[in-house]
Amino acid sequence: MIHETKAEWLAAAHKNVLLFGMSGLGKTRISSILRDGGWFHYSVDYRIGTRYMGEAIADNFKREAMKVPLLRELLLSDSVRIRSNITFDNLAPLSTYLGKPGDPAKGGVPFEEYRRRQAQHHDAEVSALLDTPRFIERAQEIYGYRDFICDTSGSICEVVNPENRADPVLSVLSRHLLLVWIEGSQDHTAELVKRFDRAPKPMYYRPEFLLDCWNQYLAESGRMPGAVDPDAFVRWTYARALAHRQPRYAAMAAHWGLKVAADDVARVQSPEDFRALIAEALEKRAHQAA
């Protein structure tokens, strides 16, 4: 880790932090607080949806627009422009493109096309993560920012191998940032499942995990791939995905960084609160290692 002790952290001229953990536990909220307090905010999801998948997202919109005669005519004559309006707080264009597998009549994507888009997301996420050091440099040298917060996708644990001490992504990130896991409790997990059940959203999964879930769901539901209800499948998969990700997050924290409790993160209201929270976590980690 770039900071091993509370004293090192507090004395650091530049504080560069990467937050990771399940979506819904406060990564973006904390990043927004820090941004308002003078930190540079780098959103991995935003980078994925603009730099690496922006063209694919826009092309998907255009493909749908071409099915409408009026829009088709206007597109072919360059009379209208269709683009994504993705923001740090609204990642819907990226989620919509990633989609959910199943019945096209219910908004589903054929499974092989879904797997292709998942592979695109994997490559985009790795690239966006590896861009982080360059953005730290840009933030300091061009814009004069002292501190930097990297707000990662919930799927970061799916594109790295935390048990591999030479992991190409984590090796780069850990040289430049302090990696911090926001750890949720069982109550948080239950609430996330309820929230997801109300509004199921697309996610990225490791290929082998996705294929296993898909085959198991088909066997249990007795449905053919083209008749699967997309929302039903992602709801069925979500709790399994949480359980699958938990030990991967824990290994990232154990081998590459540290952890803070989601309840403590929820109490952070300012950059000063955040600095104190990290100082406390480093002190706790040092005592446990002693």
Side-chain angles (χ1 to χ4, degrees), residues 8-71:
E8 288 178 8
W9 162 254
L10 294 176
H14 299 283
K15 292 177 171 58
N16 302 325
V17 178
L18 178 149
L19 297 177
F20 67 93
M22 204 62 207
S23 296
L25 292 181
K27 298 190 302 293
T28 300
R29 187 186 77 86
I30 292 297
S31 297
S32 297
I33 289 172
L34 296 177
R35 181 179 69 228
D36 291 343
W39 291 50
F40 186 94
H41 179 187
Y42 178 67
S43 167
V44 170
D45 279 330
Y46 181 81
R47 182 69 170 167
I48 292 170
T50 52
R51 172 64 176 84
Y52 292 107
M53 294 183 71
E55 185 174 295
I57 291 168
D59 283 350
N60 194 47
F61 293 159
K62 293 171 186 176
R63 193 173 295 112
E64 293 301 313
M66 287 290 284
K67 299 175 183 178
V68 180
L70 174 61
L71 293 178

Side-chain angles (χ1 to χ4, degrees), residues 32-181:
S32 297
I33 289 172
L34 296 177
R35 181 179 69 228
D36 291 343
W39 291 50
F40 186 94
H41 179 187
Y42 178 67
S43 167
V44 170
D45 279 330
Y46 181 81
R47 182 69 170 167
I48 292 170
T50 52
R51 172 64 176 84
Y52 292 107
M53 294 183 71
E55 185 174 295
I57 291 168
D59 283 350
N60 194 47
F61 293 159
K62 293 171 186 176
R63 193 173 295 112
E64 293 301 313
M66 287 290 284
K67 299 175 183 178
V68 180
L70 174 61
L71 293 178
R72 175 186 175 85
E73 180 180 339
L74 292 172
L75 280 171
L76 291 175
S77 63
D78 282 334
S79 299
V80 296
R81 180 178 299 171
I82 295 179
R83 64 180 181 85
S84 165
N85 191 30
I86 194 169
T87 67
F88 283 11
D89 298 315
N90 179 16
L91 301 167
L94 176 59
S95 294
T96 299
Y97 176 73
L98 199 58
K100 309 166 193 174
D103 186 352
K106 296 181 178 179
V109 177
F111 188 64
E112 288 309 312
E113 171 62 15
Y114 180 72
R115 292 180 70 188
R116 186 185 72 82
R117 295 183 188 187
Q118 289 269 309
Q120 283 182 307
H121 191 282
H122 171 277
D123 294 346
E125 185 164 356
V126 169
S127 296
L129 287 166
L130 292 176
D131 283 344
T132 307
R134 182 159 62 88
F135 272 83
I136 294 174
E137 182 179 353
R138 291 179 67 196
Q140 293 176 2
E141 293 188 1
I142 299 176
Y143 304 112
Y145 282 91
R146 186 183 66 182
D147 303 318
F148 184 99
I149 185 71
C150 177
D151 175 10
T152 66
S153 172
S155 54
I156 183 175
C157 67
E158 308 282 22
V159 302
V160 299
N161 179 2
E163 302 291 349
N164 177 9
R165 297 301 295 171
D167 181 86
V169 175
L170 291 174
S171 295
V172 169
L173 295 174
S174 64
R175 287 198 298 269
H176 296 273
L177 305 104
L178 184 64
L179 277 56
V180 178
W181 175 31

Side-chain angles (χ1 to χ4, degrees), residues 265-280:
V265 168
R267 288 189 282 271
V268 169
Q269 299 298 325
S270 67
E272 292 72 25
D273 290 346
F274 181 74
R275 285 191 284 268
L277 176 66
I278 299 303
E280 182 182 348

Side-chain angles (χ1 to χ4, degrees), residues 2-13:
I2 60 172
H3 305 301
E4 294 287 347
T5 67
K6 173 182 177 179
E8 288 178 8
W9 162 254
L10 294 176

Side-chain angles (χ1 to χ4, degrees), residues 22-23 95 98-101 114 118 121 154-155 158 196 200-206 209-210 234 237-239 241-242 245 249:
M22 204 62 207
S23 296
S95 294
L98 199 58
K100 309 166 193 174
Y114 180 72
Q118 289 269 309
H121 191 282
S155 54
E158 308 282 22
F196 191 88
K201 298 178 180 179
M203 290 176 59
Y204 171 78
Y205 309 99
R206 290 181 68 82
F209 174 83
L210 171 63
V234 295
T237 306
Y238 184 71
L242 291 184
R245 288 181 175 184
Y249 289 139

Side-chain angles (χ1 to χ4, degrees), residues 205-252:
Y205 309 99
R206 290 181 68 82
E208 60 273 20
F209 174 83
L210 171 63
L211 188 59
D212 183 65
C213 284
W214 182 250
N215 288 334
Q216 188 176 344
Y217 183 80
L218 293 179
E220 290 186 11
S221 66
R223 291 188 176 275
M224 297 296 291
V228 167
D229 182 320
D231 283 347
F233 171 72
V234 295
R235 285 191 178 102
W236 183 89
T237 306
Y238 184 71
R240 291 165 174 79
L242 291 184
H244 167 75
R245 288 181 175 184
Q246 194 73 2
R248 300 184 69 85
Y249 289 139
M252 286 176 64

